[in-house]
Amino acid sequence: MPKLRWLSHSCFWLEAGGKKILIDPFLSGNPLARENPEMLRPDYILLTHGHGDHLGDGLAIAKSSGATIVAPNELAVYCNRQGATVHPMHIGGGWDFDFGRVKLTIAHHGSGGGDDGTLYLGNPCGFLVFSEGKTIYHAGDTGVFYDMKLIGEMHPVDVALLPIGDNFTMGPADAVKAVELLAPKTVIPMHYDTFGLIKQDPHAFAAEARKKGAKVVVLEVGGEYEF
Ligand code: NI
Ligand code: MN
């Protein structure tokens, strides 16, 4: 059974298909994170976009662990130039890895990097991960979009990881609409409470999202969900 551990913000540690997969590893400078990035030894690092709160410690962990970074092409090329092993992909594309399949979805957001966040690093993405007969959707940073319905129709989602923070991404009300469109079995909210601009009550979101027929799991930082 795949296992997810929430390391706070949009960062998850996924164990699936016999591999360890780290998604959006924002740990240094993250007031909620408890994990020491130097202790993490993933096999893969999935990056949804180049913003500091997603790329995070990705380069350092990739270099210390030898993990392969999986990211949209421009971000992958950037990481490769910084010395990381990368597997470039792009929106709509899938690839069969040794733990399962990864497919990139759209995300409506930015992806600037560099010192002031204006270095062009391509488009942001979401990830579909198919492993052990289960489908996980990490939406990345995005507003709600109607094609979430298409994602759910083509790839019935077991666990959807959705931002609810508002301000930079969809907020709770729009995330409830996302749950309606995706129709996932289970939803785990993310990208909230890390800093003041994205303070939210995940339990209020959960109460509304449950009305759409989904199971909602609100994880504590460090909390795990097996499915
Ligand atoms: Ni972002
Ligand atoms: Mn973000």
Side-chain angles (χ1 to χ4, degrees), residues 9 49 53-54 141 191:
H9 208 56
H49 63 293
D53 61 320
H54 297 261
D141 276 2
H191 208 271

Side-chain angles (χ1 to χ4, degrees), residues 9-10 24 26 48-49 51-54 109 140-142 163 168-169 191 195 198:
H9 208 56
S10 298
D24 282 359
F26 171 47
T48 60
H49 63 293
H51 289 165
D53 61 320
H54 297 261
H109 195 65
D141 276 2
T142 186
F168 296 113
T169 68
H191 208 271
F195 28 81
I198 58 171

Side-chain angles (χ1 to χ4, degrees), residues 110-123:
S111 187
D115 292 340
D116 65 356
T118 60
L119 177 68
Y120 178 73
L121 293 178
N123 284 310

Side-chain angles (χ1 to χ4, degrees), residues 171-195:
D174 287 16
V176 169
K177 186 67 187 176
V179 172
E180 182 187 315
L181 292 167
L182 282 163
K185 278 193 193 138
T186 302
V187 177
I188 300 175
M190 63 177 183
H191 208 271
Y192 64 91
D193 281 5
T194 324
F195 28 81

Side-chain angles (χ1 to χ4, degrees), residues 4 11 13 58 62 69 152 172 175 187:
L4 275 165
C11 180
W13 180 265
I69 288 179
V187 177

